[in-house]
Amino acid sequence: MTQVETRTSLGPLELADGRWVVGDIGRPKGRWVEFRPDGLFQHDPEKRAEREEETGGPLIPWSRVMTGMNLTMGAKYPARGSHGFGGLLGGLPGPWRGRGGGYLHMTLRHPYENWVVRFDRHPRHYRGMELVLLQELLTQVVQTDRARLLGDPEWLGRVVARLAPQRPRGLRAAERAVTAALAAEAEE
């Protein structure tokens, strides 16, 4: 069995303390989404304040996630293929570093609903292609009915390790890179 690194990332997706999360877990009163074996769990300080007996937002079972996941930075609903100005500034040096956040968008079933979950960005810069690869990974895994694998830290670690060093040129090349990484993982 392959050992997973203690600190691996693909854009806002990172392995921290043995769990995969989207967002900065080190930020006080921060928001992030944890990929658990049983589903997506939103850590949100505002929701904790509303319901003190709970430890965050809802747990969404993997079986409810359908049609892939979209990722936006800065703006909650930017135009297709773009990101909000604040989301892009957050990776630059200076006073904007680490500010702002992003959103994961998905459609859930039973009952059908659109779910948007916010996360805080890290102070580090996210390369544009990292964001494209992450969104493509999330989309392909969900569309092939393997969303539950996102909750397997070792499996996700191996796939991210294959994708993180890649520098594909263009959206189709990114799509092929993710397809190849998933195929290579299926063969092992």
Side-chain angles (χ1 to χ4, degrees):
M1 186 151 300
T2 306
Q3 190 72 331
V4 179
E5 290 182 45
T6 57
R7 198 102 167 140
T8 304
S9 67
L10 186 61
L13 175 68
E14 74 173 352
L15 181 64
D17 299 327
R19 57 190 173 162
W20 283 97
V21 298
V22 175
D24 185 2
I25 69 169
R27 181 177 296 208
K29 297 185 180 180
R31 294 178 182 91
W32 71 90
V33 182
E34 183 179 348
F35 288 15
R36 293 182 174 180
D38 50 351
L40 292 160
F41 186 76
Q42 177 186 11
H43 293 266
D44 187 334
E46 290 175 10
K47 292 194 174 167
R48 280 191 294 258
E50 292 170 10
R51 299 181 305 250
E52 290 183 21
E53 70 278 359
E54 295 183 25
T55 59
L59 175 72
I60 303 298
W62 293 114
S63 61
R64 288 197 63 205
V65 180
M66 57 187 280
T67 71
M69 293 185 204
N70 290 320
L71 173 72
T72 58
M73 295 301 300
K76 191 170 188 178
Y77 296 108
R80 180 172 167 78
S82 68
H83 297 287
F85 188 63
L88 298 175
L89 282 177
L92 298 176
W96 291 99
R97 186 183 252 342
R99 295 210 180 175
Y103 299 87
L104 282 177
H105 307 256
M106 62 204 82
T107 302
L108 304 177
R109 61 171 64 97
H110 309 303
Y112 291 100
E113 62 182 300
N114 289 323
W115 192 55
V116 180
V117 59
R118 183 171 181 218
F119 60 87
D120 292 319
R121 72 166 296 127
H122 299 87
R124 70 176 182 272
H125 177 70
Y126 305 146
R127 292 185 344 257
M129 190 48 69
E130 286 180 314
L131 300 173
V132 171
L133 287 169
L134 175 57
Q135 179 167 319
E136 187 62 33
L137 171 63
L138 296 173
T139 297
Q140 284 191 32
V141 170
V142 170
Q143 287 180 344
T144 57
D145 290 327
R146 296 182 287 175
R148 62 179 167 58
L149 289 174
L150 295 171
D152 179 343
E154 291 184 5
W155 180 88
L156 189 54
R158 291 188 302 268
V159 173
V160 168
R162 292 177 195 278
L163 292 174
Q166 302 238 3
R167 303 290 188 270
R169 299 211 182 262
L171 297 177
R172 294 219 191 275
E175 189 177 306
R176 287 190 300 270
V178 170
T179 300
L182 293 176
E185 187 55 37
E187 290 175 6
E188 286 188 6

